[in-house]
Amino acid sequence: MQITAIATQKGGAGKTTTAHNLAAAIFLITGVKPLVIDLDPQGNLTTSCGYKKEDLSKTILEFFDGEPLERVAVRDDRFDLIPSNGFTADLEIKLVTTTARETVLKRLLKKLEGRYEHVLLDCPGNLGLITINALVAADRVLVPVQCEFHALGGIADLERTIEELKEAFNLTYDSFEAVATFFSQRLTLSRDVRNELRRRFTSRLYDTPIRTRVALAEAPSYGEDIFEYGTTEGAEDARNDYRTVAKEFLKRGAANGIS
Ligand SMILES: Nc1ncnc2c1ncn2[C@@H]1O[C@H](COP(=O)(O)OP(=O)(O)OP(=O)(O)O)[C@@H](O)[C@H]1O
Ligand SMILES: [Mg+2]
């Protein structure tokens, strides 16, 4: 079982979009359903999958309280989801007073060992205790970096946090993998930022960037991933990008010997 935290404290960088579409692509490529956990109290991933807040009786709150997966997960066609729904804002506060508060998620996911090949964690856009739980539980960290001015802002904080957690909790992963998002070939700024990311992250940067395509923003309003949504050229581009990123993700995971 390979646990990947999709994290960056930068808001709107594409964490949720990547968690959703990477999960769908992994299923389409491997035929095996991943588990996706919506760790963001805003519940954007959950609503992107078509669930309404009031549909959900159980969420990550109950999962963190130790309720079994069967009772909290909802089943999507391509992945299982532990949802979040706005009432989950309490989780961050509850964690503060929990014993061994940084390792709660790690301990819970240990119990799921062998049930999934991939677990994807969609983190909130801050470096609070929920994100820390994800970084400590993870075998890999995938950071979406938006191709815009100040793309690298905040990356140093994330790197420092990861280094501190690695030392404190004996984590074995190498720093993180980065995928460029909101890429636009026709924009000089976008190409420049991508080159800067290549210099900064070298082989840690995925070869394929995710291009800016409006279909990626539209699909969630229909509760669909990009593989279910739209017949436009833009939707096809977005499918190609996420399919290629997913192949690279699986290849890197296999190369790291994580299973
Ligand atoms: N490649 C893309 N092209 C066009 N729109 C995109 C793309 N990726 C994401 N979006 C849209 O941009 C917005 C932000 O993306 P997303 O929610 O995935 O970011 P996030 O990092 O999860 O944000 P937050 O920090 O708030 O959780 C969403 O409306 C999403 O639909
Ligand atoms: Mg998000």
Side-chain angles (χ1 to χ4, degrees):
M1 191 167 90
Q2 194 175 98
I3 301 164
T4 303
I6 301 174
T8 169
Q9 72 275 40
K10 197 139 201 251
K15 292 180 286 296
T16 300
T17 307
T18 298
H20 193 182
N21 294 303
L22 180 60
I26 289 172
F27 172 74
L28 292 170
I29 295 167
T30 66
V32 182
K33 275 190 181 184
L35 172 67
V36 190
I37 308 185
D38 184 355
L39 286 176
D40 187 349
Q42 292 181 85
N44 289 348
L45 175 61
T46 304
T47 44
S48 296
C49 295
Y51 295 99
K52 297 197 186 70
K53 287 181 183 177
E54 50 278 15
D55 295 343
L56 304 161
S57 53
K58 310 266 182 184
T59 64
I60 47 166
L61 267 185
E62 284 76 19
F63 184 66
F64 272 75
D65 275 342
E67 284 215 25
L69 180 78
E70 292 68 32
R71 279 205 248 143
V72 288
V74 287
R75 320 251 169 232
D76 220 76
D77 290 346
R78 312 193 203 274
F79 48 84
D80 294 343
L81 170 74
I82 301 183
S84 169
N85 71 356
F87 302 119
T88 43
D90 294 348
L91 179 59
E92 187 82 41
I93 300 155
K94 270 181 88 175
L95 279 171
V96 175
T97 52
T98 305
T99 319
R101 59 194 186 179
E102 295 90 352
T103 55
V104 182
L105 184 61
K106 190 183 184 89
R107 282 177 279 134
L108 291 168
L109 292 180
K110 271 245 152 62
K111 295 187 198 158
L112 302 182
E113 191 63 61
R115 298 193 35 189
Y116 292 96
E117 283 184 14
H118 287 279
V119 179
L120 303 182
L121 310 173
D122 180 25
C123 294
N126 61 48
L127 284 178
L129 266 178
I130 296 178
T131 300
I132 287 178
N133 262 270
L135 295 173
V136 169
D139 304 299
R140 305 167 69 174
V141 180
L142 179 61
V143 178
V145 188
Q146 207 167 338
C147 291
E148 54 154 38
F149 187 55
H150 285 321
L152 291 170
I155 291 285
D157 287 341
L158 180 63
E159 269 178 327
R160 199 175 324 110
T161 304
I162 289 177
E163 286 313 312
E164 284 167 9
L165 293 173
K166 278 175 72 175
E167 204 174 312
F169 295 97
N170 264 327
L171 310 178
T172 51
Y173 54 77
D174 297 332
S175 197
F176 54 76
E177 302 161 37
V179 63
T181 55
F182 293 90
F183 178 70
S184 209
Q185 182 64 39
R186 63 189 171 79
L187 298 181
T188 312
L189 175 66
S190 210
R191 294 196 306 272
D192 287 351
V193 170
R194 189 168 169 225
N195 288 334
E196 193 184 336
L197 297 181
R198 271 210 200 96
R199 271 195 301 277
R200 173 79 197 269
F201 297 126
T202 60
S203 63
R204 290 193 281 146
L205 181 72
Y206 278 50
D207 292 334
T208 311
I210 303 294
R211 290 170 284 183
T212 303
R213 290 294 180 268
V214 71
L216 284 167
E218 289 167 350
S221 55
Y222 296 90
E224 292 182 344
D225 63 58
I226 197 63
F227 298 94
E228 300 167 299
Y229 176 77
T231 50
T232 60
E233 201 179 314
E236 196 51 48
D237 288 345
R239 283 192 273 278
N240 280 331
D241 290 351
Y242 272 107
R243 202 180 288 117
T244 315
V245 162
K247 284 184 186 155
E248 201 172 332
F249 173 84
L250 293 167
K251 202 165 146 197
R252 283 169 183 260
N256 290 344
I258 308 164
S259 64

